[in-house]
Amino acid sequence: MKRPAWSFKEVRDTNAPLAVVAPRLKDARALKTWHPRLAGAPLEIVQDSDVRLMLRYVWSPVPGLIEEGELEATGQGDRTLLAHRARFKGWLVLPLMGWWRLRSHRMWERFVEAL
């Protein structure tokens, strides 16, 4: 029997330039202030350029569950596009997916407010 999986994507944009967004996004200590669910996730820098920053993480927030995700900031002129993609795998997905969705609600808005 296959393990249940659930994924979601949240995309927003901000008028903050990528030069301001990137250092804040890379700051693992500040992560808990705008995305409390990912407070313990190890972030790996996949791409860091003048126009794009991509961070990836794979972690197990609770035994028997795996979360794989990406945080991405892409500069688009004077704006920055922010995207978070996550995929959850394991039997605990079924009872927890609603809670995760609530914890991720307004994630990017909290990030922009903290800039």
Side-chain angles (χ1 to χ4, degrees):
M1 180 180 277
K2 288 186 174 185
R3 290 184 301 172
W6 178 66
S7 61
F8 77 91
K9 178 179 179 180
E10 190 162 353
V11 178
R12 298 286 188 274
D13 72 334
T14 179
N15 60 356
L18 185 60
V20 173
V21 170
R24 181 71 176 175
L25 196 57
K26 289 189 265 186
D27 185 1
R29 291 172 291 150
L31 187 63
K32 65 181 175 187
T33 61
W34 59 272
H35 200 315
R37 188 176 48 74
L38 290 181
L43 298 177
E44 169 194 355
I45 297 175
V46 176
Q47 183 178 2
D48 190 0
S49 69
D50 293 341
V51 294
R52 186 173 181 225
L53 171 66
M54 180 182 275
L55 305 172
R56 188 172 292 146
Y57 63 90
V58 176
W59 76 310
S60 181
V62 294
L65 181 80
I66 296 171
E67 178 180 352
E68 301 168 346
E70 296 175 346
L71 299 167
E72 182 178 8
T74 307
Q76 296 183 334
D78 60 344
R79 302 191 66 77
T80 301
L81 182 68
L82 303 165
H84 177 219
R85 294 172 207 73
R87 181 169 171 83
F88 305 88
K89 295 186 252 180
W91 288 103
L92 290 175
V93 166
L94 299 173
L96 291 176
M97 64 185 172
W99 182 77
W100 287 323
R101 189 68 182 140
L102 287 173
R103 296 294 283 178
S104 296
H105 180 69
R106 290 191 29 82
M107 173 191 79
W108 287 125
E109 287 84 351
R110 286 191 303 270
F111 175 76
V112 170
E113 289 168 3
L115 288 175

